[in-house]
Amino acid sequence: MAQILDGKRVRDEILAGLAPRIQTLKRKPGLAVVLVGDNPASHVYVSSKVKTCLELGMHSEKLTPPASIATGALLDIVHDLNSNADIDGILVQMPLPAGIDSQRVLDAIAPEKDVDGFHPVNVGNLSIGRPGPRPCTPSGVMELLRRYQIPLAGKHAVVAGRSDIVGKPMAMLLLQANATVTICHSKTADLEAECRRADILVGAIGRPAMLTRAHMKPGAVMIDVGINEVRDREQAAAIFGEGSDKMSAFDKRGSVLVGDMHPYHAAEVSSFWTPVPGGVGPLTIAMLMSNTVDAAERRQ
Ligand code: NDP
């Protein structure tokens, strides 16, 4: 039976490791989160980021301009934060409302305060192996693999998904750890065959339970980044089966979270796997905190 890679445990370890570093800094590390408009999911994400900051004894500022803000005014907010000495990290919560030029906003963040690691300078730093903030979700996956001592050098890693925030940086980090890396996407000719070659398979597609045992090599490591809210009862029952605990939860809440991998297949076939929720998800905020503390140490 496969072993669970416990993201909550690793998150707690990462945060515990940050506490003494925060205490030795002269000034509290500061994170500014800019939340434009009132997207409910974004509000939940931002609240938990701010809460984690406060629990760690960090300084945090939340700016909440309305959805009607113009790109120019949002750029002014970012420029102010760039020159604010109390702020080490700036995070502009995505997605931004339609009409705002997201790329211009992200490009305006000072690279040394770009704790999401999305600025082109930091994408370049990652690509050529220079230090700098790395995107939080893929670097969280690397921490998980490292702390469970899963060997990567010489292994074949397949990353399903090529987004700028997950798939591409994930592939780059695995490459730097000396894995042989294949990146798959929606135009990949034979996704099953590519995925079945993986010693380490990363699902970052955004399609519930799309990767099944047909995509999984027995004994491989399954890293499921996908977080998909399934609201269709039939779809949920097809994945979890009637009478399962997950379906009881669905009937109470009207939805259930499903990764990109079929959870039963991943648990049966793999050596190690990340459940959803509780696998990769908790690591993203931990790595955001870690990037902010790194930035504060560099600036101080
Ligand atoms: P995007 O939608 O930006 O990217 C999805 C990628 O999957 C694209 O590269 C797309 O290919 C590829 N893809 C889509 N359909 C298929 C298919 N049928 N076969 C093969 N490839 C396919 O998603 P994100 O990268 O932002 O997120 C991926 C998942 O990870 C989502 O479920 C998201 O919720 C989750 N996530 C979780 C986080 C966490 O904290 N754990 C953080 C961020 C995301 P193409 O490029 O060709 O279109």
Side-chain angles (χ1 to χ4, degrees):
M1 189 68 179
Q3 188 183 336
I4 284 182
L5 298 170
D6 183 349
K8 289 187 192 157
R9 200 194 86 193
V10 170
R11 171 199 59 198
D12 292 346
E13 284 173 17
I14 294 169
L15 295 179
L18 294 177
R21 289 169 57 192
I22 293 168
Q23 277 151 23
T24 49
L25 284 166
K26 285 200 195 91
R27 177 178 57 71
K28 286 180 180 184
L31 175 68
V33 185
V34 183
L35 172 57
V36 182
D38 42 19
N39 177 328
S42 295
H43 271 276
V44 174
Y45 296 142
V46 166
S47 299
S48 55
K49 287 167 186 172
V50 170
K51 183 167 160 262
T52 309
C53 268
L54 298 177
E55 284 167 359
L56 282 171
M58 287 166 49
H59 169 68
S60 103
E61 289 181 22
K62 182 167 140 187
L63 295 97
T64 54
S68 57
I69 191 170
T71 302
L74 190 52
L75 290 173
D76 289 342
I77 291 178
V78 171
H79 292 142
D80 283 349
L81 293 169
N82 283 343
S83 53
N84 182 336
D86 292 334
I87 294 300
D88 302 291
I90 302 169
L91 182 149
V92 178
Q93 185 67 41
M94 295 289 144
L96 290 172
I100 295 181
D101 185 341
S102 304
Q103 199 55 57
R104 265 184 84 195
V105 174
L106 290 180
D107 289 359
I109 297 173
E112 64 278 12
K113 294 192 179 187
D114 164 41
V115 280
D116 259 339
F118 296 159
H119 192 283
V121 166
N122 289 322
V123 176
N125 283 335
L126 167 60
S127 171
I128 57 177
R130 286 194 190 159
R134 307 302 194 216
C136 300
T137 301
S139 63
V141 170
M142 296 306 285
E143 273 300 312
L144 191 66
L145 294 169
R146 191 176 70 77
R147 287 172 193 249
Y148 276 91
Q149 299 180 344
I150 291 174
L152 297 174
K155 301 293 178 188
H156 192 165
V158 175
V159 180
R162 58 170 165 183
S163 72
D164 293 337
I165 61 168
V166 187
K168 282 183 204 159
M170 184 76 255
M172 201 54 79
L173 289 167
L174 288 163
L175 181 64
Q176 275 165 9
N178 294 320
T180 301
V181 182
T182 301
I183 306 176
C184 299
H185 47 78
S186 65
K187 306 292 184 293
T188 295
D190 188 345
L191 186 68
E192 281 184 14
E194 296 296 346
C195 291
R196 262 200 320 270
R197 291 164 59 215
D199 301 309
I200 296 126
L201 177 62
V202 181
I205 297 178
R207 314 228 170 225
M210 199 191 110
L211 303 175
T212 66
R213 70 164 57 77
H215 299 82
M216 299 172 184
K217 174 157 98 178
V221 176
M222 302 296 160
I223 304 291
D224 193 350
V225 179
I227 302 179
N228 309 292
E229 190 175 24
V230 172
R231 292 172 182 277
D232 181 287
R233 197 179 184 287
E234 228 174 278
Q235 188 184 11
I239 297 166
F240 294 109
E242 289 293 354
S244 60
D245 291 350
K246 289 281 186 181
M247 287 314 291
S248 313
F250 182 99
D251 288 333
K252 276 192 206 127
R253 283 200 293 266
S255 69
V256 64
L257 287 185
V258 183
D260 288 345
M261 296 186 176
H262 194 295
Y264 298 164
H265 298 186
E268 275 163 31
V269 172
S270 66
S271 51
F272 293 88
W273 70 292
T274 59
V276 176
V280 175
L283 299 167
T284 301
I285 291 187
M287 297 316 292
L288 175 68
M289 300 301 133
S290 174
N291 280 350
T292 306
V293 174
D294 286 347
E297 287 174 344
R298 276 197 292 266
R299 288 185 66 244
Q300 290 183 41

